[in-house]
Structure formats: C-alpha cells, structure tokens
Amino acid sequence: MSTAGKAKPQEEPSITEIPTALIYEEMDGQAIYYHGYEKVLKGEETVEGIMGSSSLKSKLTGRILKFLYIHLDGDNYRVYPGEAGMHLSKGNNLASDIAIYAAE
C-alpha cells in the first residue's frame, strides 16, 4: 500500500518553536502573540510585516498624544509613546501604546 500523494496531518507548533520576536505581551506567564503570527510561521508573511500599526491606530494614537500633551501638567507627568515595555512581575510583561507616569 503506497502512501505517495497523501497529505500528512499538520501539527500545531509548540510554544518553544515560536520565535520570541512574535510575542507581543505576556500575561500570567502566557505569551500573547502578534496578530498574524501564524502567517509568519507558515512563511506567508515577515515578522516586520505583522508588527506595523494600522493607519487608524496611528491616527488615534496621535490625537490622544496631542490631547495629553496639551492637558497634562508636564512637571507632574511623563508621557511615553511607542509600545514601551512594562515588566510588572514575573510572567507579566506588557506593551503600552501610550504610557503615562508620574514625574519623579
């Protein structure tokens, strides 16, 4: 009996096989991957291709930043855009599009 021409069932990649570059955030030790990471694993997309912001997200972020810079007291608060990484605790690493911190 020949098995030529029969498709092999595809196995889901294990977490250890997924590159860390595809991890957007980590909550309670569980990786949260960039939208579209599956396409990267299949070779249909590049890592850089799934990491960009949409034009809508960019416009909204820009408007929110403008509002914050006008209305927040720059002596008391700092605004950091650009997906700044936040390490909250072991297994909890977040990315914020806009972070606001009290000035020290």
Side-chain angles (χ1 to χ4, degrees):
M1 179 170 172
S2 173
T3 58
K6 291 188 178 181
K8 294 181 181 179
Q10 290 187 345
E11 295 180 11
E12 290 292 320
S14 70
I15 290 175
T16 57
E17 295 174 357
I18 299 175
T20 57
L22 297 176
I23 298 173
Y24 178 68
E25 293 180 328
E26 185 181 14
M27 284 292 290
D28 297 325
Q30 296 294 314
I32 299 171
Y33 298 99
Y34 280 96
H35 177 76
Y37 80 95
E38 300 96 340
K39 289 183 178 183
V40 175
L41 295 176
K42 293 177 185 176
E44 298 171 358
E45 186 65 77
T46 64
V47 173
E48 295 80 13
I50 66 166
M51 289 184 168
S53 295
S54 69
S55 59
L56 175 61
K57 181 179 176 183
S58 295
K59 288 177 187 176
L60 289 172
T61 302
R63 289 182 183 212
I64 292 168
L65 285 170
K66 182 178 180 180
F67 177 87
L68 291 172
Y69 287 134
I70 290 171
H71 295 284
L72 281 181
D73 177 4
D75 292 331
N76 294 317
Y77 297 97
R78 301 289 183 259
V79 177
Y80 300 99
E83 294 189 15
M86 296 184 300
H87 175 72
L88 303 179
S89 63
K90 183 177 180 177
N92 288 298
N93 301 296
L94 306 178
S96 57
D97 292 311
I98 302 171
I100 303 170
Y101 292 95
E104 294 184 16

